[in-house]
Amino acid sequence: MSEENEYITLVKLTLAGDHEAYGELYEKTVTDVYRTVRFLVHDAADAEDLVQEIYIQAYRSLARYDTGRAFRPWLMGVSMRQVKSYRRRKMMQFRFKQRIEQMDTDTGMEVDFSSQLIHRLANRPLLAQVQRLPYKLQQVVTLHYLNEYTQEEVADILDIPLGTVKSRIHAALTKLRQQQQLHSEFARKVDNANEIG
């Protein structure tokens, strides 16, 4: 039995009331889902919570799943929608926090950003560059390169045209190359300055 047929069988068993089948579906897919979520959501605890939300939402949506479609891209689509919702909530919290901090600044209290800075510095250079891309570009890079989905599957997961996926991948790679060139030029200038000094 192919992997895809196995997923479909587990979906059908789950819909028939077999809870162990959904547990097996979870075990077979959670590594990819977690890796993707963890890349897009920088806080480990938030990523773990979000993965649980994704599987709850997937379970609730399973009755609407079209077994004619591949399961993993469908699940990744559920994941991307949950990540988008999470980011929206975080942005609202961030804006609220900014207002509070502004009020604190107005009253003379200091804000400590050191933990955020340490977290950013701990990332590997390429991942850090990808994470500096706009979110829409991060999505396609993560799905296409980290999870190895085809461009067509990425279009299906994000529910956008294939041409949009291609243009976002192109834009992301262009930005990454530009960042790499800037970094290389800066390193050369530092080396030249050290040679002169």
Side-chain angles (χ1 to χ4, degrees), residues 39-54:
F39 189 78
L40 294 171
V41 174
H42 309 299
D43 182 87
D46 283 356
E48 289 172 15
D49 289 345
L50 192 51
V51 167
Q52 296 309 311
E53 288 177 32
I54 286 165

Side-chain angles (χ1 to χ4, degrees), residues 67-78:
T67 55
R69 291 179 61 194
F71 179 74
R72 285 181 63 239
W74 176 83
L75 180 61
M76 201 53 71
V78 172

Side-chain angles (χ1 to χ4, degrees), residues 47 74 84 101 130 160 166:
W74 176 83
K84 185 178 180 180
E101 286 171 358
V130 170
I160 58 176
K166 290 180 178 181

Side-chain angles (χ1 to χ4, degrees), residues 124-141:
R124 293 190 298 262
L126 181 59
L127 294 180
Q129 287 179 354
V130 170
Q131 290 172 335
R132 282 195 293 270
L133 292 172
Y135 180 68
K136 288 180 179 182
L137 301 184
Q138 277 185 43
Q139 278 185 315
V140 294
V141 168

Side-chain angles (χ1 to χ4, degrees), residues 40-137:
L40 294 171
V41 174
H42 309 299
D43 182 87
D46 283 356
E48 289 172 15
D49 289 345
L50 192 51
V51 167
Q52 296 309 311
E53 288 177 32
I54 286 165
Y55 280 93
I56 291 168
Q57 185 58 44
Y59 184 80
R60 289 177 181 155
S61 304
L62 217 48
R64 293 189 304 273
Y65 166 64
D66 174 9
T67 55
R69 291 179 61 194
F71 179 74
R72 285 181 63 239
W74 176 83
L75 180 61
M76 201 53 71
V78 172
S79 301
M80 289 295 112
R81 287 188 292 280
Q82 290 298 111
V83 169
K84 185 178 180 180
S85 174
Y86 161 85
R87 288 175 60 87
R88 197 177 308 120
R89 285 192 312 265
K90 283 304 235 188
M91 184 54 70
M92 288 171 60
Q93 290 170 356
F94 176 74
R95 287 182 182 146
F96 180 72
K97 185 178 172 194
Q98 275 186 320
R99 288 187 197 119
I100 298 296
E101 286 171 358
Q102 184 60 45
M103 289 167 49
D104 289 346
T105 304
D106 293 343
T107 60
M109 295 174 67
E110 290 186 28
V111 181
D112 179 19
F113 291 104
S114 59
S115 63
Q116 290 176 336
L117 183 60
I118 290 166
H119 177 71
R120 286 186 187 141
L121 293 174
N123 289 325
R124 293 190 298 262
L126 181 59
L127 294 180
Q129 287 179 354
V130 170
Q131 290 172 335
R132 282 195 293 270
L133 292 172
Y135 180 68
K136 288 180 179 182
L137 301 184

Side-chain angles (χ1 to χ4, degrees), residues 173-188:
L173 295 177
T174 301
K175 284 183 182 292
L176 290 171
R177 281 188 206 104
Q178 288 169 348
Q179 289 175 5
Q180 189 61 40
Q181 287 171 346
L182 286 173
H183 180 72
S184 298
E185 286 174 30
F186 179 73
R188 265 197 309 279

